[in-house]
Amino acid sequence: MELMVLLNALVTRLLFVLHSLIGVWRVTAVKKEPKYWLLALLNLLLCLETGLTLKFKQGRGYKWFSPAIFLYLICTVPSLWLLEIHHGTQYCGNEPGAVQVNVSNQDFNQSRDSSHGSEETDHHIIQTAKVFVNQLSTICETVWTLALHQTFLLLLVVGRWLLPIGVEITRDQLSQLLLMFVGTAADILEFASETLDIEDVRKNYALINAILAVWTWSMLQFPLDLAVQHIGCKPSASARRIPSLLLCRYSAELWNIGVSLFIQDGPFFIVRSILMGHFRIFNQMLVFFTAKNILVVTLQLYRLAVITLDFRATVVQKSRKGEVCCCPCEPYEARTHATGHQDNELKESVAFPPKEESQAPSDH
C-alpha cells in the first residue's frame, strides 16, 4: 500500500470524525443533556469502514459510490437537525460580537496574570486552552449552527478531493465532479440558510422539519460519482432495447438532469412555492431563487428533449443505413472486435484480389 494513499485515507476520515464530534459537542452544550454524546457512537461506522477499505481496497475508493462520504453524512446530519430544531438557535443577543470581545479580553488578561505567577509552561497552555473553549462557548448559537453548515459542505468537497480515487475514475473526471460539488454545495447552503432564517418559518415546527428533510435529501448526491461516469453496456444487448441504449450512451447527462429535477432544484422549487403560495411568505431573495429554480428546471427539461431527439435521429439514420447502433460506453472492447473483424476482411481482400480483376484480358 502506498504511503500517500494511506495518509490521505486516514487524514480525511480523521477530519470527518473531528467535525462530527464538534457537532455532537454543540448539541450537548445546547440541550444541556449528556445523553446526546451517544451520537458520537455513529463514528464507529466510519472507523469500521476505514478498516474494511484499508484491508480490501488498499485505501482506495469504490466505483460510483463513496462509503466514507455517506457515513460522514450519517454522523453529522443528526447533529445539525437537532441544532436547527432547538429553539435556542433561533435568536441571539442584540450585540453578540461585543459580548464576545469583552469576555475574550477579560479571560485572556486573567490567563496572563496567572501565568506570571507560575513558571510552568504547561500551566499556561492549559489556561489558554480553557480560555479558548470559554470564548467559543460565548459565540451565538445561530453563528455556531451556520458555521457547522458551512464547514460541513466544505469538508464534503475537500474530503472527496483528498480521498484516494479508485481505478474506475480518472483525475479528469474527479476534477469535473469537484467543480459540480462546489456549485451544488453553494445552492444547498443558500437553500437551508435562506429559508430557515425566515421568522414565520421558525414559528412553524412542521415547516422546519419539511425543509430539513428536503435538505437531507439533497445531500445524498454527494456520495455518488455517476455525474461523470458512464454505465458500461454490451452493444449486442443494448442494441435491441432503445431505452437501455439511451441510458448507456447518455448516463452521465441523464444523471445530472435527474439530480436537478428530483433531488435539488425540483424539491427546492416545490418548497419555495409552498412558502409563497400557501403560507404567504414573500421576500426579495425567496422570489429570486424561486425564479432561478424555475429557470434551471426548464433548461434541464429542454436539455432532456434535445438529448432524446438527437438520439432518436441517430438511431433512425443508422437503421436506414443498415448499421447496428453501437454504444460508445465500451469503445475499446466492443469496437476493437468489430474493427479487427473488418481489418481481417480488408487484408483478405488485399491478399486475394477478385479473379476478374487479377486476370487481365490477353491480346493473343
Side-chain angles (χ1 to χ4, degrees):
M1 186 185 304
E2 300 179 4
L3 179 61
M4 187 59 65
V5 172
L6 176 62
L7 185 62
N8 288 340
L10 293 178
V11 169
T12 305
R13 289 168 173 84
L14 180 61
L15 291 175
F16 290 165
V17 172
L18 290 177
H19 186 266
S20 176
L21 292 178
I22 292 175
V24 175
W25 168 65
R26 286 308 305 164
V27 173
T28 56
V30 169
K31 295 286 188 178
K32 296 180 176 16
E33 295 183 14
K35 67 179 182 180
Y36 287 100
W37 277 111
L38 294 175
L39 291 172
L41 295 177
L42 293 173
N43 291 282
L44 294 178
L45 297 175
L46 191 57
C47 296
L48 178 61
E49 183 273 336
T50 303
L52 295 177
T53 302
L54 293 177
K55 181 178 181 180
F56 296 104
K57 297 288 291 184
Q58 288 74 44
R60 297 193 175 275
Y62 295 82
K63 185 178 182 180
W64 299 335
F65 182 73
S66 177
I69 298 293
F70 180 71
L71 293 176
Y72 176 47
L73 294 178
I74 293 178
C75 296
T76 309
V77 167
S79 299
L80 293 176
W81 265 73
L82 293 173
L83 290 174
E84 291 290 357
I85 291 175
H86 187 261
H87 65 88
T89 61
Q90 299 175 15
Y91 306 103
C92 287
N94 294 329
E95 296 180 356
V99 176
Q100 178 184 352
V101 172
N102 293 333
V103 173
S104 174
N105 292 334
Q106 181 180 359
D107 290 341
F108 273 111
N109 289 333
Q110 294 177 358
S111 175
R112 290 176 182 176
D113 294 339
S114 62
S115 62
H116 284 306
S118 177
E119 298 178 358
E120 296 180 358
T121 308
D122 295 339
H123 179 70
H124 176 68
I125 294 176
I126 294 175
Q127 287 296 114
T128 305
K130 290 181 179 180
V131 170
F132 181 71
V133 173
N134 292 332
Q135 181 185 9
L136 291 178
S137 301
T138 59
I139 298 177
C140 179
E141 294 177 7
T142 304
V143 177
W144 258 113
T145 305
L146 180 58
L148 287 174
H149 273 284
Q150 294 170 340
T151 52
F152 179 44
L153 292 169
L154 288 176
L155 267 181
L156 284 173
V157 179
V158 176
R160 190 63 188 88
W161 190 7
L162 295 178
L163 283 174
I165 62 176
V167 295
E168 296 86 1
I169 184 172
T170 63
R171 291 290 178 184
D172 177 64
Q173 292 175 336
L174 179 62
S175 62
Q176 297 177 24
L177 186 67
L178 293 174
L179 289 174
M180 293 179 187
F181 280 174
V182 170
T184 300
D187 289 340
I188 293 176
L189 177 63
E190 175 276 323
F191 169 76
S193 60
E194 179 260 332
T195 53
L196 290 175
D197 283 345
I198 301 175
E199 185 176 356
D200 293 335
V201 173
R202 281 295 182 183
K203 296 178 181 178
N204 193 322
Y205 186 76
L207 268 181
I208 295 177
N209 287 330
I211 292 172
L212 290 176
V214 174
W215 169 77
T216 305
W217 172 249
S218 66
M219 300 295 292
L220 295 178
Q221 58 185 299
F222 285 98
L224 299 173
D225 299 339
L226 294 174
V228 293
Q229 296 192 57
H230 289 279
I231 300 176
C233 61
K234 296 181 180 180
S236 60
S238 61
R240 302 175 183 177
R241 307 178 69 177
I242 299 301
S244 61
L245 182 57
L246 176 64
L247 179 63
C248 169
R249 185 173 184 180
Y250 297 103
S251 59
E253 290 83 357
L254 292 177
W255 169 254
N256 290 326
I257 295 174
V259 166
S260 178
L261 295 179
F262 301 107
I263 299 182
Q264 187 167 329
D265 290 286
F268 290 179
F269 166 69
I270 293 175
V271 171
R272 288 170 173 141
S273 299
I274 293 175
L275 291 179
M276 292 189 300
H278 185 269
F279 293 95
R280 303 298 179 182
I281 299 175
F282 294 94
N283 59 53
Q284 184 176 3
M285 298 304 296
L286 186 62
V287 173
F288 170 77
F289 284 110
T290 303
K292 177 234 180 189
N293 292 141
I294 295 175
L295 181 60
V296 172
V297 170
T298 304
L299 291 177
Q300 292 291 0
L301 292 175
Y302 174 72
R303 173 63 179 165
L304 179 62
V306 169
I307 290 176
T308 305
L309 293 176
D310 179 70
F311 175 77
R312 183 178 179 181
T314 303
V315 172
V316 171
Q317 182 180 5
K318 287 183 177 294
S319 62
R320 289 178 179 177
K321 294 182 180 180
E323 300 178 0
V324 178
C325 187
C326 182
C327 175
C329 303
E330 295 181 356
Y332 183 78
E333 296 179 1
R335 295 184 180 181
T336 301
H337 179 72
T339 306
H341 183 67
Q342 294 178 358
D343 291 341
N344 292 334
E345 293 181 352
L346 180 61
K347 290 179 181 179
E348 291 178 358
S349 63
V350 173
F352 301 98
K355 293 182 179 180
E356 58 271 17
E357 294 181 2
S358 59
Q359 296 178 355
S362 177
D363 296 336
H364 300 288

